[in-house]
Amino acid sequence: MTVHPTTSTPAPLSSRPPGHGASGGSGRRPPFPPPPALVVVAHGSRDPRALSTVRALLDRVRALRPGLPVHLGHIELNEPLLPDTLAGLHARGTGSAVLVPLLFGRGYHVKQDIPETAAASPLPTRVAAPLGSHPLLVDALHARLTEAGWRTPADGATRRASAVVLAAAGSRDPESRTDTARTADLLAQRLGVPVVPAYASTAAPTVSEALRALAAEGRRRVAVASCFTAPGRFATECAAASPWVTAAPLGTHPAMARLLLHRYTQARTAPVLTPA
């Protein structure tokens, strides 16, 4: 049997009956689902400057990505606490969230506190990596050092007398110290002088110990880079130990906002955490 092709001309989309449009019944494409909310997870601090700095940093993130829902949750000390932020998002019908730690290494908060809080929430949630180590973090550290007066020496003698101490919060977790050491290595490559990681608590060496060790090597021109988000006790204590140039906390530097968004994008394909 021969099958003859039809000779009728299909009706244009605009004149077809319901159910024959390109996207189903209405002929209109379904809307794209909203992106997951970005929840920046800060540690929290009793210093009021910390909260105002973090809020200003979130405003920079919103300016870079208009339309992206950006929220704040704290681990402790400040409101809103992370469980309350997640509960509020769930109550408002938010589809999912990505938690981005405003922390610099893989310590207890990143590996335990934040994932456990996320898994306990009914909101589908993913957890991003911490901020360090990454070239964008080095951009912010370098910029803050330069603002404080650091200049990489051009002559060999001055270079041999120069170094930087990278001051960080500190953690008992060896992976956190590994992350800080990697950030120090990246910063050393940028500056062309040694960069020694040091800590405000828990881990060794302290900033004072690192400064003394560098002085014993003949390095008298030593700056302190602050691997802290905002002013607070740790940043103040580390700055007090510095004999020379001390960089301000990273705060609202544009590279910090870009790094938060980068970690958010990376984590959008990570597994959703579910209650145990």
Side-chain angles (χ1 to χ4, degrees):
M1 180 178 67
T2 303
V3 179
H4 298 282
T6 179
T7 57
S8 61
T9 302
L13 285 178
S14 60
S15 64
R16 293 183 190 181
H20 289 77
S23 59
S26 67
R28 290 179 293 183
R29 293 183 181 274
F32 289 106
L38 165 56
V39 178
V40 175
V41 185
H43 182 277
S45 171
R46 292 183 176 87
D47 191 316
R49 295 173 296 173
L51 181 56
S52 61
T53 299
V54 172
R55 285 175 171 164
L57 175 59
L58 265 61
D59 286 340
R60 278 196 176 272
V61 174
R62 295 183 183 104
L64 287 173
R65 191 73 61 86
L68 176 65
V70 179
H71 302 272
L72 175 62
H74 290 93
I75 296 169
E76 59 182 358
L77 299 176
N78 291 122
E79 294 182 349
L81 293 173
L82 180 58
D84 297 331
T85 297
L86 296 179
L89 290 172
H90 180 66
R92 293 193 293 274
T94 300
S96 63
V98 173
L99 311 187
V100 181
L102 190 55
L103 302 167
F104 298 101
R106 293 168 291 171
Y108 183 83
H109 294 311
V110 168
K111 296 165 74 171
Q112 299 292 328
D113 284 342
I114 296 174
E116 288 174 2
T117 301
S121 171
L123 181 70
T125 305
R126 295 173 172 86
V127 178
L131 302 185
S133 58
H134 194 276
L136 284 169
L137 177 56
V138 174
D139 287 347
L141 289 164
H142 186 204
R144 291 292 188 240
L145 277 169
T146 301
E147 291 166 2
W150 168 267
R151 297 294 182 272
T152 297
D155 63 283
T158 307
R159 189 183 295 267
R160 288 189 293 274
S162 301
V164 170
V165 170
L166 178 64
S171 171
R172 292 183 179 89
D173 193 308
E175 288 190 319
S176 177
R177 295 194 293 275
T178 296
D179 293 337
T180 305
R182 287 174 176 166
T183 299
D185 288 344
L186 290 173
L187 185 58
Q189 293 171 27
R190 181 77 60 89
L191 298 177
V193 300
V195 176
V196 177
Y199 303 96
S201 70
T202 309
T206 66
V207 171
S208 295
E209 289 168 345
L211 288 167
R212 287 196 295 270
L214 288 166
E217 296 174 5
R219 296 188 182 270
R220 307 290 180 178
R221 186 178 181 269
V222 181
V224 174
S226 299
C227 198
F228 304 108
T229 300
R233 180 169 65 90
F234 285 168
T236 300
E237 290 175 354
C238 291
S242 174
W244 185 47
V245 167
T246 305
L250 303 176
T252 59
H253 190 276
M256 290 286 286
R258 295 198 299 272
L259 182 51
L260 287 169
L261 287 169
H262 173 71
R263 293 301 193 208
Y264 166 84
T265 301
Q266 282 184 316
R268 286 189 60 172
T269 57
V272 172
L273 296 183
T274 55

